[in-house]
Structures are given as structure tokens and as C-alpha cells.
Amino acid sequence: MARRSRRKLLVTGAEQGVNAFKAEVMRREGFAVNPNRPDDVKYEVAKTLGVPLQPGDNGNLSTESAGRVGGRIGGTMVREMIRLAQENLAKQPNK
């Protein structure tokens, strides 16, 4: 049985926005993303990294391999959030 992530967003209702952001960021990275199922991009990322991630049970997958997939997705998202924040800060008038 696949274990579901226990992580929850702190802001209620933000899940849709985060998923849309993930889909857009990963699409710009060249991955095919279904906007209705942005979490499925992990399988395409895993394939490009040579990680045998499959839907369902991945109990034989090492923590390192799983981290490579999640790190590629999360790291890309964080870099984009930092870029957007820097861009917004640069637009603010000096006080």
C-alpha cells in the first residue's frame, strides 16, 4: 500500500496554488506536466534521473534515490520562489 505524505500546507486552501506553481515551474524545466495531476511529474523526473520510481509501492527505493527526485522538484521550486522574491524586492521603491 502506498503511503501518503503527511505534509500539510500551513495556509488553508493554498494547495491549488502550490500545485499550479509546481506545474508551471516543472513545465519550464522541460517536463510534461498534467495541470490536473502535477504530482505525477515526479515519475518523469525519476525517469530522467534513472530512478526506478513507479506508482504504488516503492519500498525497494533507497532514501537517496527518492531524495534525488524530490530534491530536483523542490529545489527547482525554491530557486524560482527566490528569483520571484528578488524580482519583487527590486521593484519596490526605496524607503
Side-chain angles (χ1 to χ4, degrees):
M1 182 165 121
R3 193 175 94 172
R4 297 207 39 125
S5 175
R6 292 186 206 142
R7 295 182 186 171
K8 293 185 181 185
L9 297 174
L10 295 175
V11 178
T12 305
E15 185 174 339
Q16 185 177 7
V18 170
N19 284 338
F21 180 72
K22 179 191 291 185
E24 178 59 28
V25 168
M26 296 313 290
R27 190 175 302 112
R28 279 192 246 142
E29 288 289 307
F31 293 100
V33 181
N34 178 347
N36 299 320
R37 298 183 56 106
D39 280 344
D40 286 354
V41 75
K42 64 187 168 194
Y43 301 114
E44 190 176 342
V45 171
K47 185 177 178 182
T48 65
L49 296 173
V51 174
L53 181 68
Q54 299 295 321
D57 182 29
N58 285 286
N60 60 336
L61 197 63
S62 72
T63 303
E64 181 182 358
S65 293
R68 287 178 54 213
V69 174
R72 174 75 188 267
I73 295 168
T76 303
M77 290 175 65
V78 168
R79 279 190 297 280
E80 180 63 11
M81 284 186 262
I82 290 169
R83 188 194 67 75
L84 290 171
Q86 289 173 333
E87 188 177 284
N88 286 335
L89 285 171
K91 290 179 184 178
Q92 289 183 357
N94 292 333
K95 294 184 180 186

